[in-house]
């Protein structure tokens, strides 16, 4: 579709449960977008969406990757992990739904707002999840001039 246009692409490995570095991929993405002069409003949306995606991989999954590709007219973010997958995606998308443990909640996560906020920050949002296989979230933010 947009594959014939020049783009900048970066992929970050996100390990499971590594809270000391969790958030670093999204902050590096934010700095990169600032450096190349992307609109502040879009940067804020991408920063929230990538942070929530990164934390979900770190907290809820066995690890995965966060990939961002910047085209002149759209920013595409793909968060992919190696399982365990989500049993009920519709439920997971509801505000306030969380399976986070007390330990995770004590660290300030588990409000059940990550996925709904990722959707709100996106112009296009798609989530696919298969139990035992993994979860893939794709978000597009239109890079309006
Ligand atoms: N990558 C994932 N792998 C497995 N389960 C996930 C994944 N992402 C989300 N979930 C499930 O969906 C639920 C809702 O996710 P969401 O990000 O909205 O809330 P949360 O992570 O629990 O809390 P918050 O994001 O507000 O800190 C999670 O509690 C978890 O059960
Ligand atoms: Mg979350």
């Amino acid at each position: 579709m947009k594959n014939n246009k020049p783009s900048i692409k970066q992929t970050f490995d996100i390990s499971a449960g590594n809270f000391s570095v969790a958030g670093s991929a999204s902050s590096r993405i934010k700095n990169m977008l600032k450096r190349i002069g992307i609109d502040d409003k879009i940067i804020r949306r991408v920063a929230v969406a990538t942070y929530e995606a990164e934390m979900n991989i770190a907290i809820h999954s066995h690890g995965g990757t966060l990939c961002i590709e910047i085209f002149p007219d759209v920013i595409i973010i793909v968060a992919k992990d190696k399982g365990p997958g989500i049993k009920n995606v519709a439920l997971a998308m509801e505000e306030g739904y969380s399976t986070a443990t007390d330990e995770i909640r004590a660290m300030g996560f588990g409000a059940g707002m990550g996925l709904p906020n990722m959707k709100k920050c996106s112009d296009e949002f798609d989530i696919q999840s298969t139990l035992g296989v993994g979860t893939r979230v794709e978000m597009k933010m239109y890079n309006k001039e």
Side-chain angles (χ1 to χ4, degrees), residues 56 86-98 112-122 125-129 135-139:
N56 277 356
I86 302 174
K87 202 191 288 177
N88 185 335
V89 172
L91 195 56
M93 288 305 302
E94 280 184 17
E95 293 188 3
Y97 175 82
S98 177
M113 293 305 294
L115 286 172
N117 281 339
M118 285 155 70
K119 187 172 181 182
K120 263 184 220 156
C121 288
S122 307
F125 179 91
D126 179 64
I127 179 167
Q128 307 285 337
S129 193
T135 301
R136 182 184 188 278
V137 179
E138 179 170 330
M139 297 175 277

Side-chain angles (χ1 to χ4, degrees), residues 52-53 55-56 59-60 109-115 118:
E52 294 296 347
M55 295 317 298
N56 277 356
I59 292 171
H60 304 294
F109 306 108
M113 293 305 294
L115 286 172
M118 285 155 70

